[in-house]
Amino acid sequence: MTKIAIKKQAKLLLCAIGMLTLFNCKESSVTDKKAYTEEELYRPNFHFTPKKGWMNDPNGMFYYNGYYHLYYQHYPDSIVWGPMHWGHAISTDMVTWTEKPIAIYPDEKGYIFSGSAVVDLQNTSGFGSLKNPPIVAMFTYHDPLKEKTNAPGIQSQGIAYSLNEGLTWTKYENNPVIEFPSIKDFRDPKMIWDNIHKQWLMVLAAGDKTMFYGSKNLKNWEFLSDFGKNIGAHGGVWECPDFFPLFVEGSDEYKWVLLLSINPGGPNGGSATQYFVGDFDGKTFKLDASFSKDMNGQKGLWIDYGRDNYAGVTWSNISETDGRKLFMGWMSNWNYGQKVPTQKWRSSMTMARELKLIKEDNHYSVSSQPVRELQNYVAKTIKKETLKIKDKKTVLIDKSLVDLTKLDIHFTLKNLKKDVYTFSFSNGSNNTISFGINKKENYFFIDRRKSGDLSFSDAFAKQISKAPFTKDFDKIDIRVIVDKTSIEVFYNNGKTVMTEIFFPEKPMETFAVSKENFDFTIENLTINQLNF
Ligand code: FRU
């Protein structure tokens, strides 16, 4: 018997012999929660979290010599946001991460805000050599003193280089390299090597627009153009852009994709990341005409419609033979990120994802799917080929067969009608996190209104989160990744994605499906328990 079970039995015995005044005999959720440490209940199995302290945006991601590097906005001394450092972690497969020493510290010029890193293979910067190419990072200096007095030039861009594969960094002596004193929100530079126009290219967020810069040596930057005023969603300040060419799946046509995070103003409240598709001539970005229409006025199209995927950007220096566009976001939201109920660390990153550009009926869209490396972690698979769902509620699996805190599930739904299809993970403390399809009102959803601890913020679970359909269907593929306190749902091969976090009082114990009226079919249900 486990320690927890022994404690429970002892409690029941005391209750039975009537020691009611000393012991609370109700099976309370508080007792359940105390049975688990924070690490056991909340620390994700395979989504990156810092050992301690605060984390927000992913920064400076690059691949080199067999390692994926991830830097992140980090304040090691507290679990709320503060003077920003770049924390650092490495991985050989973007699934298992090893935290390294802090990479970049704040200094007299300011905090180290978000930014990017590139591998300068030709040593164009002169910081290294052809034999040992420098890794060059660009970040935003945020000057807290200027911020206090509202002086101009609060944010500027600085660079740093590393000659030991990103472990330690030297800041450039002539920082900052880009200033624009009159723009207050002037940050989050994302650099790429633009192989089409043979230039270093950088995009940053400047209030309600993005600005593009070009360079030959990563030190001197020339302004090229700006984009975005009055285009797309503008419910809040623009942040953390990313800009890159991507081949349309299955063709040799390519388009440029601009990712743009916005806070607030996301489709379900708070922070979220929209995207744009268009053409770039080396200087100016122009929206594709069909994409402009698809944006549906200024509402925007979103990489993820859930509330917990923000500030996501892509890895640089992925080899041409690999060829993937690899993305990761911060799995939280500025609406409540600093209040979630963990005490030792705060927040985690999303699963690493592959972005693809899809063209269907002359419409462009960006899909995301979990990186294939996750498949190497499958410990146990349970398959059910065809399930005719006739009852209002059907349990698909429970904890006697799999551990529901680490799952990768796939299935196809067929014969869908105008009904509501709800998949839910639940436990004996009446906590439920559900997702599904409302075909009466044409949206996908995640509902965390009864998912456990909601007390820390009113904004966390006020309403369900919705993602609109792009077109009607009666059949759909769904993939779901669950990691203790997060659910990432990929509808239709990742053409619509919803990511949300939750804080149950004890681990989830059953996975069930319910519908209202019509029978339907689940095909090829594959439940993979992951090995961590
Ligand atoms: C986005 C952001 C960035 C900024 C960083 C500061 O979440 O606000 O714009 O660089 O966080 O930590």
Side-chain angles (χ1 to χ4, degrees):
M1 208 187 307
T2 64
K3 261 192 200 157
I4 298 164
I6 294 171
K7 262 194 214 159
K8 268 194 178 165
Q9 288 246 328
K11 198 176 110 178
L12 287 176
L13 193 68
L14 288 167
C15 290
I17 58 176
M19 296 178 69
L20 291 172
T21 46
L22 282 179
F23 296 89
N24 172 7
C25 296
K26 220 172 78 213
E27 270 295 307
S28 84
S29 54
V30 175
T31 323
D32 280 339
K33 196 167 164 188
K34 286 209 176 116
Y36 299 91
T37 65
E38 170 171 304
E39 293 291 313
E40 286 166 343
L41 194 57
Y42 291 156
R43 174 89 72 183
N45 295 294
F46 54 98
H47 286 72
F48 177 73
T49 49
K51 284 201 183 80
K52 70 174 192 66
W54 168 260
M55 173 177 83
N56 55 290
D57 316 357
N59 295 152
M61 293 134 81
F62 69 92
Y63 174 80
Y64 193 54
N65 269 350
Y67 287 99
Y68 295 90
H69 291 258
L70 164 68
Y71 299 84
Y72 47 92
Q73 290 287 281
H74 187 38
Y75 184 34
D77 301 330
S78 167
I79 51 164
V80 291
W81 189 91
M84 283 292 112
H85 303 53
W86 275 25
H88 185 201
I90 58 169
S91 169
T92 53
D93 64 2
M94 296 169 286
V95 181
T96 300
W97 292 95
T98 307
E99 190 170 327
K100 304 298 279 181
I102 287 174
I104 309 183
Y105 284 80
D107 60 38
E108 69 294 340
K109 293 196 178 84
Y111 301 166
I112 310 297
F113 270 21
S114 287
S116 54
V118 289
V119 183
D120 183 12
L121 292 168
Q122 300 304 318
N123 191 32
T124 59
S125 62
F127 288 137
S129 62
L130 284 177
K131 248 184 146 181
N132 186 23
I135 319 288
V136 180
M138 188 187 288
F139 51 82
T140 298
Y141 264 125
H142 175 92
D143 185 334
L145 298 176
K146 285 187 179 159
E147 184 186 17
K148 245 188 205 152
T149 56
N150 218 358
I154 297 171
Q155 298 182 342
S156 60
Q157 320 314 317
I159 57 176
Y161 60 92
S162 170
L163 299 175
N164 57 5
E165 299 192 11
L167 201 61
T168 58
W169 294 80
T170 306
K171 288 174 188 142
Y172 180 45
E173 58 202 9
N174 295 328
N175 275 340
V177 293
I178 306 176
E179 293 177 282
F180 208 128
S182 60
I183 305 181
K184 193 172 161 223
D185 294 297
F186 183 62
R187 60 174 176 268
D188 309 336
K190 179 70 167 73
M191 301 181 288
I192 61 160
W193 171 249
D194 169 5
N195 203 29
I196 299 165
H197 309 98
K198 306 292 175 209
Q199 61 180 341
W200 292 110
L201 181 64
M202 185 272 279
V203 59
L204 54 68
D208 58 355
K209 58 183 189 291
T210 56
M211 290 168 75
F212 298 101
Y213 286 79
S215 173
K216 291 197 159 36
N217 59 11
L218 296 163
K219 294 172 178 161
N220 305 316
W221 291 87
E222 183 200 346
F223 172 71
L224 300 174
S225 64
D226 59 32
F227 170 85
K229 216 173 167 39
N230 302 321
I231 302 176
H234 277 276
V237 66
W238 279 23
E239 301 183 317
C240 299
D242 193 356
F243 188 53
F244 45 83
L246 208 53
F247 280 106
V248 171
E249 273 300 289
S251 97
D252 48 17
E253 178 194 1
Y254 71 85
K255 288 276 167 189
W256 284 74
V257 174
L258 176 67
L259 306 183
L260 208 281
S261 285
I262 164 173
N263 176 44
N268 286 295
S271 32
T273 303
Q274 59 182 324
Y275 67 88
F276 302 93
V277 177
D279 298 296
F280 181 66
D281 61 7
K283 284 204 158 155
T284 312
F285 177 57
K286 210 170 149 263
L287 268 192
D288 183 85
S290 70
F291 190 82
S292 286
K293 278 194 215 133
D294 292 346
M295 270 184 0
N296 192 7
Q298 305 213 329
K299 280 195 190 151
L301 293 179
W302 305 85
I303 279 287
D304 195 317
Y305 283 82
R307 277 180 281 189
D308 296 303
N309 179 357
Y310 192 59
V313 285
T314 59
W315 263 274
S316 69
N317 206 45
I318 300 297
S319 71
E320 268 182 35
T321 45
D322 180 318
R324 290 178 294 174
K325 229 342 129 189
L326 299 166
F327 167 98
M328 186 179 258
W330 174 46
M331 197 156 58
S332 194
N333 188 310
W334 282 114
N335 263 354
Y336 44 75
Q338 299 187 80
K339 297 180 184 161
V340 297
T342 50
Q343 300 305 314
K344 194 168 168 196
W345 83 94
R346 273 222 179 104
S347 72
S348 66
M349 294 301 178
T350 67
M351 209 31 243
R353 300 171 183 184
E354 180 180 359
L355 301 185
K356 289 185 179 169
L357 183 58
I358 312 287
K359 189 178 184 181
E360 279 174 340
D361 316 324
N362 256 339
H363 298 282
Y364 296 96
S365 61
V366 177
S367 72
S368 356
Q369 280 170 313
V371 292
R372 58 171 174 260
E373 285 83 346
L374 190 63
Q375 285 162 17
N376 301 333
Y377 291 84
V378 174
K380 177 176 178 182
T381 301
I382 294 171
K383 282 194 177 203
K384 299 188 182 177
E385 261 162 35
T386 306
L387 293 170
K388 291 233 176 300
I389 305 295
K390 298 200 160 106
D391 297 337
K392 279 220 150 30
K393 182 167 180 178
T394 309
V395 172
L396 297 171
I397 199 139
D398 70 19
K399 67 171 181 179
S400 65
L401 291 174
V402 294
D403 179 342
L404 288 118
T405 69
K406 36 187 172 184
L407 291 176
D408 179 358
I409 304 178
H410 316 217
F411 52 89
T412 304
L413 302 182
K414 276 190 163 171
N415 307 321
L416 301 179
K417 309 262 162 37
K418 291 236 161 289
D419 207 341
V420 183
Y421 304 94
T422 304
F423 292 84
S424 50
F425 294 93
S426 312
N427 63 20
S429 296
N430 279 330
N431 302 153
T432 297
I433 174 89
S434 59
F435 66 92
I437 306 175
N438 184 326
K439 273 188 61 58
K440 286 177 163 169
E441 292 174 31
N442 295 341
Y443 60 79
F444 303 107
F445 63 89
I446 289 187
D447 184 352
R448 62 181 176 195
R449 287 175 303 170
K450 292 189 176 136
S451 60
D453 189 352
L454 314 173
S455 64
F456 53 90
S457 164
D458 290 343
F460 186 70
K462 239 192 299 188
Q463 74 280 326
I464 70 169
S465 297
K466 300 179 183 178
F469 297 165
T470 45
K471 59 177 178 192
D472 198 21
F473 54 88
D474 61 4
K475 179 185 165 197
I476 190 168
D477 293 324
I478 300 182
R479 181 160 175 198
V480 191
I481 310 277
V482 177
D483 187 4
K484 269 190 201 177
T485 46
S486 66
I487 179 163
E488 297 169 88
V489 191
F490 300 84
Y491 293 101
N492 209 355
N493 290 317
K495 277 180 226 149
T496 301
V497 182
M498 300 190 80
T499 300
E500 297 212 346
I501 55 173
F502 56 97
F503 299 92
E505 289 152 286
K506 63 184 197 177
M508 293 305 180
E509 295 166 341
T510 57
F511 178 49
V513 62
S514 53
K515 49 102 175 158
E516 288 174 3
N517 297 308
F518 303 105
D519 298 353
F520 71 106
T521 310
I522 304 181
E523 274 191 355
N524 299 325
L525 174 64
T526 307
I527 299 169
N528 289 317
Q529 182 190 304
L530 301 169
N531 184 16
F532 289 98

